[in-house]
């Protein structure tokens, strides 16, 4: 996995567009309830990744975005397994989570430095 702040910013910008495009009428009651709670936070975190070209700051915003998105996915029907993974070393040992479609750990918080650091803590189906 290559660390690329420009690519991360571009993906976060696409994610911001996807947030704006969500049709709340198509959400289940539980999804809608959580969506109303998290949509502004998701947009703020995505903007933090888009606006920052500093990878360290992008990773902090990504950690927050991942936790917020996890709240939504917990009440959503997901297409295939989604792995909720944890890095114990990020943020001076406070740790952070991310979501992945792969069970194999590819740590986004340390990139190539420690690509396999972490573990799957939950599988969403």
């Amino acid at each position: 996995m290559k660390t690329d702040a420009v690519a991360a910013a571009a993906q976060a910008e696409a994610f911001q567009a996807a947030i704006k495009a969500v049709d709340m009428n198509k959400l289940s009651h539980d999804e809608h309830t959580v969506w109303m709670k998290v949509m502004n936070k998701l947009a703020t975190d995505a903007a933090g990744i888009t606006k920052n070209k500093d990878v360290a700051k992008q990773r902090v915003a990504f950690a927050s975005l991942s936790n917020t998105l996890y709240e939504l996915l917990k009440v959503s029907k997901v297409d295939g397994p989604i792995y909720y993974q944890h890095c114990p070393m990020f943020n001076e040992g406070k740790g952070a989570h991310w979501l992945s479609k792969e069970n194999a750990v590819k740590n986004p918080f340390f990139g190539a430095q420690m690509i396999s650091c972490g573990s799957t803590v939950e599988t969403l189906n």
Side-chain angles (χ1 to χ4, degrees), residues 26-69:
K26 294 184 178 180
L27 300 176
S28 72
H29 175 73
D30 290 342
E31 288 170 330
H32 187 270
T33 300
V34 175
W35 179 253
M36 295 305 294
K37 177 183 162 194
V38 303
M39 69 178 180
N40 289 332
K41 181 76 173 125
L42 286 173
T44 299
D45 290 336
I49 296 169
T50 301
K51 292 176 184 173
N52 282 306
K53 302 306 180 219
D54 178 330
V55 168
K57 290 179 181 175
Q58 286 180 324
R59 286 175 172 157
V60 170
F62 178 70
S64 179
L65 184 142
S66 295
N67 285 336
T68 305
L69 190 56

Side-chain angles (χ1 to χ4, degrees), residues 62-74 78 80-87 94-106 108-109 117-125:
F62 178 70
S64 179
L65 184 142
S66 295
N67 285 336
T68 305
L69 190 56
Y70 170 76
E71 287 182 52
L72 182 60
L73 291 178
K74 286 285 289 180
V78 295
I82 304 286
Y83 302 96
Y84 189 55
Q85 299 177 328
H86 179 74
C87 169
K94 294 176 185 165
H97 292 87
W98 73 95
L99 297 157
S100 178
K101 288 188 171 187
E102 299 176 25
N103 192 28
V105 171
K106 294 181 182 174
F109 298 109
C117 174
S119 62
T120 298
V121 294
E122 185 175 352
T123 302
L124 304 173
N125 286 310

